Amino acid sequence: MSTLTQDTVSPAPASPIDKPNTMRAVKDKLATVAVYTAFLIAVIPLVWILYTVISKGAGALLNPEWWTNSQRGITARTVGGGAYHAIIGTLIQAAITAVIAVPIGVFTAIYLVEYGRGKLARAVSFMVDILTGVPSIVAALFIYTLWVTTFGFERVAFAVCLALVLLMIPVVVRSTEEMLKLVPNELREASYALGVPKWKTIMKVVLPTAFSGIVTGVLLGLARVMGETAPLLILGPPSKAINMNPFEGFMAALPTMINGERDQVVQAAYDRYWGAALTLIILVMALNIAGRLISRFNKVSR
């Protein structure tokens, strides 16, 4: 009868690699704490602002007249009145701005991605970068010099839209440019292999593929310009009446309504400008949410 013997295997000495790196673990914890601290520092003011605006402006929005009436005939001490005129004015100005800025921004991005080569493309890209950093008041003063001083036209809502166009174009260009770069080159090459011209490839293949991402950038650009105040103050003074014509008379907007009511110390005006601030936040938030939802259906990210 044979006897089975088992050799006793002694454990191998621990390698320096297997030992926990204490310093690395400490740095990882410190970085985690720093990230969470920075997040809390950024969130606290945001939550504070939202709480303040909602608590002080919700009362005005709960009144049905807020959505159906204007401020015409309403004095600083009069209770009531609505923001219908300012909401309509904000939406009209945003729509005109988008009609002008979106085609220019999209075509510029197409040129930079699909055709742009050499000095001209670098110059266009450089000018877009400059427009990105231009303050809104500088854009407003430029349009004022051109529209009022040079051509002698009156200050109207359309002039405001021209200033907002200068602020929206770089947002649309950069967002569209990034989405076009994400379109796989294989799609372009397959279209070229079938004998499709380049312009038709762009229209039928590239743009449809990046369409949802482009729309997202447009909505984010609109969300930015809808809250601008300087162009409205310089080119389109506020109005308390409803005006649907952007080429004649003054047109109200939510930012100018806030600015016009903030100097009043009575409770009625106090409630109105907080209500206008909350209304503007809701409109901007709706555009941002719409942009996020559309981005989920982006064909490029699938």
Side-chain angles (χ1 to χ4, degrees), residues 202-215:
I202 295 171
M203 296 298 297
K204 298 294 184 179
V205 177
V206 178
L207 287 180
T209 305
F211 177 75
S212 57
I214 295 173
V215 173

Side-chain angles (χ1 to χ4, degrees), residues 132-288:
T132 303
V134 169
S136 59
I137 191 170
V138 174
L141 290 174
F142 170 75
I143 297 298
Y144 181 88
T145 302
L146 187 66
W147 183 266
V148 179
T149 305
T150 303
F151 295 118
F153 297 143
E154 297 292 333
R155 294 190 296 168
V156 291
F158 184 74
V160 176
C161 298
L162 294 180
L164 297 179
V165 165
L166 296 179
L167 302 176
M168 185 175 176
I169 283 178
V171 179
V172 177
V173 171
R174 289 309 179 202
S175 60
T176 304
E177 188 177 2
E178 292 303 319
M179 297 313 303
L180 294 178
K181 289 179 179 178
L182 290 177
V183 177
N185 285 327
E186 289 79 3
L187 295 178
R188 297 180 177 88
E189 293 171 357
S191 179
Y192 298 153
L194 295 174
V196 180
K198 186 171 185 176
W199 69 268
K200 188 172 290 187
T201 299
I202 295 171
M203 296 298 297
K204 298 294 184 179
V205 177
V206 178
L207 287 180
T209 305
F211 177 75
S212 57
I214 295 173
V215 173
T216 301
V218 170
L219 293 179
L220 294 178
L222 276 176
R224 184 213 165 177
V225 300
M226 285 175 64
E228 293 292 346
T229 307
L232 295 167
L233 296 177
I234 295 175
L235 296 166
S239 172
K240 291 189 175 184
I242 299 173
N243 179 18
M244 300 288 188
N245 187 357
F247 297 97
E248 184 178 357
F250 296 152
M251 181 178 290
L254 288 170
T256 51
M257 181 179 176
I258 298 169
N259 183 75
E261 298 285 353
R262 68 179 178 84
D263 293 332
Q264 309 298 329
V265 294
V266 294
Q267 185 64 36
Y270 182 85
D271 294 337
R272 283 193 292 269
Y273 76 70
W274 280 113
L278 181 57
T279 304
L280 182 60
I281 288 176
I282 290 174
L283 290 178
V284 173
M285 187 177 298
L287 286 176
N288 279 276

Side-chain angles (χ1 to χ4, degrees), residues 71-81 261 266-269 272:
Q71 293 290 313
R72 187 172 186 178
I74 302 296
T75 63
R77 298 182 181 276
T78 305
V79 178
E261 298 285 353
V266 294
Q267 185 64 36
R272 283 193 292 269

Side-chain angles (χ1 to χ4, degrees), residues 48-58 274-279 281:
W48 191 359
I49 291 173
L50 288 177
Y51 171 76
T52 303
V53 176
I54 292 173
S55 62
K56 296 183 178 182
W274 280 113
L278 181 57
T279 304
I281 288 176

